[in-house]
């Protein structure tokens, strides 16, 4: 898709190519993904930091009570639900895999690994894609609220596209080697320029090819 490539290149010119951070331990990555749901990065990081101070690692978290986990991660919001999901996910991994590890996902293809992760409590398309892309470097494309909003406004996906469908469409269209870059740059653009309310279209580097902006000018 010519427009997709143009958007990717313009965002690269604006924000550069984000570096990949050091590979996280997969279980810890999964826990962070669950903590990040319906909250901001700051609260997620604070909750994760408190969790790591309280517990020695995923095994001790799994063996602890939901109430104890919930108290530690209260800053993340929806802490009771997230505590249940974290504990439940770790227990299911241990039950299904025979040990508390997700390293076996490295040997699976994207679809197989995605299907396996989505069996876990609280893991949907976005969460599975984050773990697979950021931790294993697989060609999975996470779609969060920023990515969905910016993609719709640009016309990369239809305006009535659901998040789950956007996952499928963008994952199929975006070249694997640029998924991480494009995902990060869309988030940066959504936070800085293409905000949910009052997008800064007048200083947007994408305005000339933006479907939303063109409609606003009519």
């Amino acid at each position: 898709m010519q427009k997709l490539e143009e958007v990717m290149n313009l965002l690269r010119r604006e924000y550069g190519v984000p570096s990949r951070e050091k590979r996280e331990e997969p279980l810890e990555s999964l826990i962070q993904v669950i903590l990040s749901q319906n909250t901001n990065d700051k609260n997620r990081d604070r909750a994760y930091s408190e969790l790591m101070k309280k517990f020695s690692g995923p095994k001790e978290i799994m063996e602890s009570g939901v109430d104890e986990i919930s108290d530690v991660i209260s800053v993340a919001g929806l802490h009771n639900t997230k505590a249940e999901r974290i504990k439940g996910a770790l227990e299911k991994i241990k039950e299904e895999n025979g040990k508390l590890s997700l390293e076996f996902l490295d040997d699976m293809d994207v679809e197989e690994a995605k299907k396996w992760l989505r069996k876990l409590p609280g893991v949907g398309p976005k969460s599975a894609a984050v773990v697979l892309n950021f931790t294993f470097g697989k060609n999975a494309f996470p779609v969060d609220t920023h990515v969905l909003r910016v993609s719709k406004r640009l016309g990369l996906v239809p305006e009535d596209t659901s998040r789950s469908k956007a996952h499928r469409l963008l994952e199929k269209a975006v070249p694997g080697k640029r998924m991480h870059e494009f995902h990060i740059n869309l988030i940066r653009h959504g936070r800085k320029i293409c905000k949910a309310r009052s997008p800064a279209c007048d200083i947007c580097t994408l305005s000339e090819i933006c479907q939303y902006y063109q409609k606003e000018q009519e």
Side-chain angles (χ1 to χ4, degrees):
M1 185 192 299
Q2 184 178 348
K3 185 173 186 178
L4 173 63
E5 185 174 358
E6 190 172 0
V7 169
M8 288 192 295
N9 290 338
L10 286 170
L11 289 177
R12 173 183 280 186
R13 189 182 305 166
E14 185 75 12
Y15 303 105
V17 179
S19 60
R20 278 191 176 272
E21 297 179 2
K22 183 180 178 182
R23 182 184 187 273
E24 293 177 340
E25 199 283 323
L27 290 176
E28 295 178 2
S29 177
L30 175 65
I31 291 169
Q32 290 186 63
V33 167
I34 294 174
L35 287 173
S36 73
Q37 295 165 357
N38 299 107
T39 194
N40 57 43
D41 291 351
K42 182 179 178 180
N43 288 339
R44 175 205 63 199
D45 292 343
R46 286 176 61 195
Y48 182 71
S49 177
E50 291 301 313
L51 202 60
M52 292 299 104
K53 287 179 188 175
K54 175 71 175 179
F55 304 107
S56 61
K59 184 175 185 293
E60 189 176 351
I61 295 172
M62 180 187 70
E63 293 172 347
S64 301
V66 170
D67 290 344
E68 188 177 9
I69 300 168
S70 178
D71 287 343
V72 176
I73 64 171
S74 59
V75 69
L78 299 174
H79 49 286
N80 292 328
T81 298
K82 291 177 182 179
E84 290 177 357
R85 288 175 174 177
I86 290 169
K87 181 175 172 64
L90 294 174
E91 288 175 338
K92 191 166 182 64
I93 291 167
K94 176 74 180 296
E95 177 187 344
E96 294 272 335
N97 189 38
K99 61 180 179 178
L100 195 53
S101 173
L102 286 174
E103 293 292 348
F104 65 93
L105 294 177
D106 210 14
D107 296 326
M108 292 183 175
D109 63 35
V110 174
E111 291 305 316
E112 186 183 9
K114 201 184 299 180
K115 184 177 179 181
W116 200 97
L117 281 172
R118 291 192 61 187
K119 294 190 298 182
L120 302 176
V123 178
K126 176 206 163 187
S127 297
V130 167
V131 172
L132 294 176
N133 188 301
F134 284 74
T135 304
F136 293 100
K138 292 183 181 292
N139 294 336
F141 192 81
V143 176
D144 69 354
T145 54
H146 297 294
V147 172
L148 184 62
R149 179 178 68 254
V150 177
S151 296
K152 285 182 176 183
R153 284 178 174 171
L154 287 169
L156 299 180
V157 297
E159 292 182 15
D160 60 351
T161 304
S162 66
R163 189 183 295 189
S164 59
K165 186 174 182 181
H167 272 282
R168 296 193 297 273
L169 292 174
L170 290 170
E171 198 165 82
K172 185 177 180 180
V174 179
K177 64 183 180 180
R178 299 193 69 176
M179 281 186 178
H180 179 265
E181 168 198 335
F182 190 45
H183 169 75
I184 296 296
N185 284 346
L186 281 174
I187 291 175
R188 287 172 172 171
H189 196 67
R191 288 174 174 169
K192 182 180 178 182
I193 303 294
C194 195
K195 301 176 181 180
R197 297 180 181 180
S198 304
C201 298
D202 55 325
I203 60 171
C204 179
T205 190
L206 303 174
S207 58
E208 290 188 6
I209 58 172
C210 177
Q211 182 175 281
Y212 173 87
Y213 179 73
Q214 298 305 323
K215 285 183 179 180
E216 289 294 303
Q217 300 308 301
E218 292 177 358

